[in-house]
Amino acid sequence: MEYDNNIPIYLQVINRIKKDMIQGNLPMGEKLPSTRELAVQYQINPNTAVRVYKEMEQQHMCYTKRGLGTFVTEDPAVLLEMRASMARELLNSFVQEMKELGFSKQELITDISTRFDEEGQED
Amino acid sequence: MEYDNNIPIYLQVINRIKKDMIQGNLPMGEKLPSTRELAVQYQINPNTAVRVYKEMEQQHMCYTKRGLGTFVTEDPAVLLEMRASMARELLNSFVQEMKELGFSKQELITDISTRFDEEGQED
Amino acid sequence: MEYDNNIPIYLQVINRIKKDMIQGNLPMGEKLPSTRELAVQYQINPNTAVRVYKEMEQQHMCYTKRGLGTFVTEDPAVLLEMRASMARELLNSFVQEMKELGFSKQELITDISTRFDEEGQED
Amino acid sequence: MEYDNNIPIYLQVINRIKKDMIQGNLPMGEKLPSTRELAVQYQINPNTAVRVYKEMEQQHMCYTKRGLGTFVTEDPAVLLEMRASMARELLNSFVQEMKELGFSKQELITDISTRFDEEGQED
DNA sequence: GTGGTCTAGACCACT
DNA sequence: GTGGTCTAGACCACC
């Protein structure tokens, strides 16, 4: 995984994990890798890995059993709300920004439609 | 103007000014406020105001005449390219992120259409 | 039984057992459950159960007869002292903390009186 | 300041600061010491100091201005709620525990009354 | 000078 | 082996 230098690594990792949860790669209740494993997987410092799980726990995305490990939340509502809020945020700020750049609704739809079908060659 | 704590203030100010240029609120060749005035207008530190103009100049969004002040670029191509690149960046990352959240093309178009017609009550 | 994540489980279990002794639910000399049974009862790891008895033994709350099991102490003084020291500790820290929050003696008494009569609906 | 080895230092520091806010030693809106100063004052590592403020910010006890420092919240409601919730928690758990140790309401009141008037010689 | 992040490495208690 | 905490020291962007 490559990191964007302008965004804290731990946030980028959290984002990656969130998407894995939403896509079902990390099913509910599943044990997450230990902080040490996570550190290896994502090539980050163990402390940063700890921070990732701590932050995620505060967002109720996972929970911890003492001495056992960290587990994906078992509450489907949390996942749904997470997906919804991420989408809402992306959508709102995108539409607002594009409006301010003077794009019309039709232009937006056309551009998105075109872009959607291309593979993600570049970002 | 309210600032997002996670994004450098000078970038947020530059963004605001870019939009004003694109929307024609700041026509080409127009004199921009002095750094001191900018600092007052945007409630930022004078040092931050200086930085704003410095960065903008590096992006050729404006130019400085010694002793006279700072002026909006008079090259239309700069403005067009600016708008295009901002839009491209917004579009690409938006589409990619929404794809990763599992949104279909149709869903995207519907949601954008809906959102576009609402006023920007909330962000 | 629900566990507070910030306090070691074995301490929470010991506390529960202490109260059972004081309240007479576990009379002096009574045989305590085996560590395996304890583990099941309290939904804890067998190792944790072992630790519970080990700590309790160090505090003379119980004693072990090889091959027979673990038994509640038969020394009434131990129980009395246990109750007294628990109460003393609770009282002292409680009063000190509330003082620091600016509570007056009268307020304390009123609040305690009120709270005492309510059932422990919530903690 | 002396630290209880069984409680995370950052929590003990937060607690101390909370009380200072409640007692008015740290008025609303006041600038808090920088993380580096805090580290010196409380004899903790700068990182631990950072953690203190971050945790406090999540509880809305303070806010940060980029590059300027950290400030006590200006919302009185936050302080009142903080004091109330701390007191409620202390009160509830104290009463419940003492009940379980078999103390009567009258005993409690007497003991608290006595204890309240003694100076905090010992904890 | 300010907070924010990250690495490195250590120690601890709990399971 | 697990997460939790702490120290130490470094670098960064921002004001």
Side-chain angles (χ1 to χ4, degrees):
Chain A
M1 179 158 175
E2 293 169 6
Y3 296 107
D4 178 340
N5 256 330
N6 299 314
I7 304 173
I9 291 181
Y10 76 95
L11 286 183
Q12 298 181 53
V13 174
I14 289 177
N15 235 286
R16 180 69 258 143
I17 296 179
K18 275 188 180 176
K19 287 175 188 161
D20 279 339
M21 289 182 179
I22 288 170
Q23 294 169 2
N25 301 335
L26 290 175
M28 295 190 300
E30 178 119 332
K31 183 178 181 311
L32 291 164
S34 77
T35 52
R36 288 157 180 88
E37 282 169 354
L38 194 74
V40 174
Q41 261 183 45
Y42 282 90
Q43 310 216 61
I44 57 180
N45 184 285
N47 268 327
T48 306
V50 166
R51 185 168 188 179
V52 164
Y53 283 157
K54 214 176 161 181
E55 196 85 8
M56 282 173 53
E57 195 163 358
Q58 284 176 343
Q59 297 178 27
H60 305 109
M61 293 166 51
C62 61
Y63 61 93
T64 297
K65 286 190 196 161
R66 299 174 67 92
L68 293 180
T70 305
F71 301 81
V72 179
T73 179
E74 289 172 357
D75 182 353
V78 170
L79 284 187
L80 288 175
E81 166 55 20
M82 190 171 78
R83 179 176 182 270
S85 72
M86 287 172 84
R88 197 183 325 124
E89 206 170 312
L90 286 169
L91 186 69
N92 288 2
S93 77
F94 174 70
V95 170
Q96 193 197 329
E97 298 276 321
M98 293 302 272
K99 261 186 174 174
E100 287 180 329
L101 290 181
F103 279 72
S104 72
K105 185 155 107 177
Q106 196 47 53
E107 271 179 298
L108 265 196
I109 291 175
T110 309
D111 287 357
I112 286 196
S113 189
T114 309
R115 177 69 198 166
F116 196 93
D117 297 328
E118 303 170 9
E119 289 309 309
Q121 309 96 328
E122 48 177 344
D123 183 21
Chain B
M1 179 158 174
E2 292 171 6
Y3 295 106
D4 178 340
N5 241 332
N6 299 314
I7 304 173
I9 290 183
Y10 76 93
L11 285 183
Q12 298 182 54
V13 173
I14 291 177
N15 236 290
R16 182 68 258 149
I17 295 178
K18 276 188 181 174
K19 287 175 190 159
D20 281 338
M21 290 181 178
I22 289 168
Q23 292 169 2
N25 302 334
L26 289 174
M28 294 190 295
E30 177 122 332
K31 183 177 183 310
L32 290 164
S34 73
T35 53
R36 272 180 226 101
E37 285 167 348
L38 193 75
V40 174
Q41 248 185 56
Y42 282 91
Q43 307 214 60
I44 58 180
N45 187 293
N47 288 326
T48 307
V50 169
R51 179 159 193 181
V52 165
Y53 282 156
K54 210 168 76 184
E55 296 271 338
M56 281 172 55
E57 208 157 353
Q58 283 178 352
Q59 296 179 31
H60 306 106
M61 293 167 54
C62 60
Y63 61 92
T64 298
K65 285 188 196 163
R66 294 180 59 113
L68 290 181
T70 306
F71 299 81
V72 179
T73 180
E74 289 172 356
D75 182 353
V78 169
L79 283 188
L80 287 175
E81 167 53 20
M82 194 170 78
R83 177 175 183 271
S85 72
M86 286 173 83
R88 196 183 327 120
E89 207 171 309
L90 285 169
L91 185 69
N92 288 1
S93 77
F94 173 70
V95 170
Q96 192 198 330
E97 296 278 321
M98 293 301 273
K99 265 185 173 174
E100 287 181 326
L101 290 183
F103 279 72
S104 71
K105 185 156 100 173
Q106 196 47 55
E107 269 179 299
L108 264 195
I109 290 174
T110 308
D111 287 355
I112 286 199
S113 189
T114 309
R115 177 68 198 167
F116 197 93
D117 297 328
E118 304 170 7
E119 286 309 308
Q121 312 94 324
E122 46 179 347
D123 185 19
Chain C
M1 178 157 174
E2 292 172 6
Y3 295 106
D4 178 340
N5 239 334
N6 298 314
I7 304 172
I9 290 182
Y10 76 92
L11 285 182
Q12 298 181 53
V13 172
I14 290 178
N15 236 289
R16 182 68 259 149
I17 295 179
K18 276 188 180 174
K19 287 175 191 159
D20 281 339
M21 290 182 178
I22 289 169
Q23 293 168 2
N25 302 334
L26 289 175
M28 294 191 294
E30 177 119 332
K31 184 177 183 309
L32 291 163
S34 73
T35 53
R36 273 181 226 100
E37 285 167 347
L38 194 74
V40 174
Q41 247 184 58
Y42 282 91
Q43 306 213 62
I44 58 180
N45 187 294
N47 288 326
T48 307
V50 169
R51 180 158 192 181
V52 164
Y53 282 157
K54 211 167 76 181
E55 296 273 338
M56 281 172 56
E57 205 157 352
Q58 282 178 351
Q59 296 178 31
H60 305 106
M61 292 166 55
C62 60
Y63 62 91
T64 297
K65 286 188 196 163
R66 295 179 60 113
L68 291 180
T70 306
F71 300 82
V72 179
T73 180
E74 290 173 354
D75 182 353
V78 169
L79 283 189
L80 287 174
E81 167 53 20
M82 193 171 76
R83 177 176 182 271
S85 72
M86 287 173 81
R88 196 183 325 122
E89 206 171 310
L90 286 170
L91 185 68
N92 287 2
S93 77
F94 172 70
V95 169
Q96 191 197 330
E97 297 278 321
M98 292 302 273
K99 264 186 173 173
E100 287 181 324
L101 290 182
F103 279 72
S104 71
K105 185 156 104 174
Q106 196 47 53
E107 268 179 299
L108 265 195
I109 290 174
T110 308
D111 287 354
I112 286 200
S113 188
T114 308
R115 178 70 198 165
F116 196 93
D117 297 329
E118 304 169 9
E119 285 311 306
Q121 312 96 325
E122 46 181 346
D123 184 19
Chain D
M1 179 157 175
E2 292 170 8
Y3 296 107
D4 178 339
N5 255 331
N6 298 315
I7 305 173
I9 291 181
Y10 76 94
L11 286 182
Q12 298 181 54
V13 174
I14 289 177
N15 235 286
R16 179 70 259 144
I17 296 179
K18 275 188 180 175
K19 286 176 188 160
D20 279 339
M21 289 182 179
I22 289 171
Q23 293 169 2
N25 301 335
L26 289 174
M28 295 191 298
E30 178 120 332
K31 183 179 182 310
L32 291 163
S34 77
T35 52
R36 289 157 178 87
E37 284 170 353
L38 194 75
V40 174
Q41 261 183 44
Y42 281 90
Q43 309 217 61
I44 57 181
N45 184 285
N47 269 328
T48 306
V50 167
R51 184 168 189 178
V52 165
Y53 283 158
K54 215 175 159 184
E55 196 85 9
M56 282 173 51
E57 196 163 356
Q58 284 175 344
Q59 297 179 26
H60 306 109
M61 293 166 51
C62 60
Y63 62 92
T64 296
K65 287 190 195 162
R66 298 174 66 91
L68 293 181
T70 305
F71 301 81
V72 179
T73 181
E74 289 171 354
D75 182 353
V78 170
L79 284 188
L80 288 174
E81 167 54 22
M82 190 171 78
R83 177 175 184 270
S85 73
M86 288 172 82
R88 195 182 329 123
E89 206 170 312
L90 286 169
L91 186 69
N92 288 2
S93 78
F94 173 70
V95 169
Q96 192 197 328
E97 297 277 320
M98 292 302 272
K99 261 185 174 175
E100 287 180 329
L101 290 182
F103 279 72
S104 72
K105 184 155 107 175
Q106 196 47 54
E107 270 178 299
L108 265 196
I109 291 175
T110 308
D111 286 356
I112 284 197
S113 189
T114 309
R115 177 69 198 167
F116 197 93
D117 298 328
E118 303 170 8
E119 289 309 309
Q121 310 94 327
E122 49 177 343
D123 184 20

